[in-house]
C-alpha cells in the first residue's frame, strides 16, 4: 500500500462527503478509492469512516487522523513546491470561480499572456455569482467582489474598483434625475443586487466630503449577477451602481448616464479566496499573482486593459 496516496484519498473522501464525489475529484475509479481507504484502515487497525447507503461519516479516530493528515500533506506539498518552483513550470488543472463580468472583461481577454507564461496549466473557469462548495466541487480558488463573509476561507485582497451611479436616459425622462442619495429610498426606483451569501439586497453607500450616507434603495427588481444587473439598468428599470469598467461601453453608446457625480461611491474590494484546508500550490500561487497584477493595472477600475493585449 502507498500510504501517502491512501492518505490523500482518505482526506478527499472526508472533504467531499462520499466516495463517488471523491473519485470524481481525484479522477479515479470509485472502486480504487474504496479499496485504498479500506487498505488504510487495515494498516491502521481502526475504522476511519462509517458508511451508509447515502453518506459517509467520520469516526472519532477518523477525525483525529484527518486533522493530522491534512497537516502532513500540506507540509509535504510545501516542501515539494519549494524544491521544484525554481526548476519546473507549474502545471496541472486549476479550477477557478468568478463572476461573469470579471471573466469576460478582465481575465479571458488577457489569458494569452497567462498561457505564454504558464503553458502547462489548464484552467477550468466557473462563471457566476453563486455560492460555491469549494471542497466538494474541487475549486482551487475564486475571485470575489466585496469583503468575504465566510471565515473558513483564506482571503487575499488583490485590489479595489470604483463604483459609480448610473441610470438609463429612458428612466430619467420618465422619473427625473435624482440629486441626493436619499431620493433612492422613496422618490426613485433602483435595481437591487441580491447577495446570495447573506440572502438580502445590498445597500448603497455614498460620501461627499465628511458626509457618509448608507441607502437601502426602493428596488423594482433584484438580481444576483452583475451582467444582469447592468442590463436591468440599461432597460430603464431603475438607478444602479456599477463598476466603471463594466458601464463604460454602455455610457459611450448613450445607453447609460452617470448621475449624482458630486457624490462618491464606495470602492469595491476584490479578493482571491481559497479553503484553509487546501494548500496554496504553485499553480494557484502563480495565477493569484498574475491576477493581482492584472487588477492593479486597471487605473482606479475605470478602464479595462486593451481587449487583446499582446503577450510578453
Amino acid at each position: 500500500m502507498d500510504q501517502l496516496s491512501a492518505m490523500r484519498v482518505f482526506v478527499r473522501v472526508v472533504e467531499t462527503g462520499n466516495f463517488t464525489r471523491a473519485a470524481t475529484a481525484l479522477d479515479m475509479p470509485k472502486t480504487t478509492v474504496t479499496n485504498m481507504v479500506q487498505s488504510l484502515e487495515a494498516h491502521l487497525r481502526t475504522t476511519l469512516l462509517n458508511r451508509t447507503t447515502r453518506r459517509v461519516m467520520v469516526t472519532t479516530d477518523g477525525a483525529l487522523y484527518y486533522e493530522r493528515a491534512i497537516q502532513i500533506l500540506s507540509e509535504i506539498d510545501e516542501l515539494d513546491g519549494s524544491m521544484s518552483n525554481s526548476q519546473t513550470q507549474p502545471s496541472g488543472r486549476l479550477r477557478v470561480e468568478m463572476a461573469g463580468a470579471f471573466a469576460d472583461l478582465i481575465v479571458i481577454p488577457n489569458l494569452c499572456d497567462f498561457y505564454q507564461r504558464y503553458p502547462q496549466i489548464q484552467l477550468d473557469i466557473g462563471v457566476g455569482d453563486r455560492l460555491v462548495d469549494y471542497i466538494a466541487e474541487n475549486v482551487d480558488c475564486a475571485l470575489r467582489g466585496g469583503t468575504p463573509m465566510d471565515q473558513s476561507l483564506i482571503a487575499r485582497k488583490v485590489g479595489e474598483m470604483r463604483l459609480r451611479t448610473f441610470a438609463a436616459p429612458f428612466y430619467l425622462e420618465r422619473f427625473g434625475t435624482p440629486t441626493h442619495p436619499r431620493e433612492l429610498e422613496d422618490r426613485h426606483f433602483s435595481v437591487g443586487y441580491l447577495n446570495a451569501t447573506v440572502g438580502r439586497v445590498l445597500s448603497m453607500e455614498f460620501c461627499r466630503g465628511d458626509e457618509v450616507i448608507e441607502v437601502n434603495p426602493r428596488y423594482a427588481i433584484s438580481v444576483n449577477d452583475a451582467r444582469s444587473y447592468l442590463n436591468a439598468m440599461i432597460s430603464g428599470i431603475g438607478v444602479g451602481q456599477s463598476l466603471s469598467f463594466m458601464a463604460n461601453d454602455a455610457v459611450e453608446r448613450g445607453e447609460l448616464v452617470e448621475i449624482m457625480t458630486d457624490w462618491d461611491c464606495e470602492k469595491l474590494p476584490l479578493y482571491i479566496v481559497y479553503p484553509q484546508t487546501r494548500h496554496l500550490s504553485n499553480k494557484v500561487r502563480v495565477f493569484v499573482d498574475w491576477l493581482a497584477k492584472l487588477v492593479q493595472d486597471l487605473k482606479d477600475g475605470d478602464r479595462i486593459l486593451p481587449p487583446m493585449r499582446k503577450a510578453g
Side-chain angles (χ1 to χ4, degrees), residues 35-70:
N35 291 337
M36 291 182 74
V37 173
Q38 289 175 344
S39 297
L40 183 63
E41 290 177 319
H43 172 74
L44 298 173
R45 298 182 181 180
T46 188
T47 301
L48 300 175
L49 301 170
N50 285 326
R51 293 85 158 167
T52 68
T53 55
R54 293 187 177 181
R55 60 177 180 170
V56 171
M57 296 192 308
V58 185
T59 65
T60 301
D61 285 345
L64 292 173
Y65 191 78
Y66 170 78
E67 293 299 328
R68 290 292 292 125
I70 59 174

Side-chain angles (χ1 to χ4, degrees), residues 151-219:
Q151 298 300 312
S152 68
L153 299 175
I154 296 175
R156 172 183 168 183
K157 187 175 181 181
V158 294
E160 55 185 20
M161 293 185 173
R162 184 182 177 189
L163 289 164
R164 288 175 170 168
T165 309
F166 300 94
F170 172 71
Y171 175 88
L172 299 177
E173 290 172 4
R174 293 179 61 198
F175 298 102
T177 303
T179 58
H180 192 281
R182 289 298 182 199
E183 294 180 37
L184 302 181
E185 294 183 321
D186 47 29
R187 295 177 53 187
H188 283 271
F189 289 99
S190 298
V191 179
Y193 189 86
L194 180 64
N195 186 300
T197 303
V198 298
R200 63 178 176 81
V201 173
L202 298 180
S203 60
M204 297 180 181
E205 186 175 293
F206 298 84
C207 61
R208 185 171 60 184
D210 295 332
E211 185 179 7
V212 179
I213 296 177
E214 184 176 343
V215 173
N216 293 308
R218 182 178 64 157
Y219 61 90

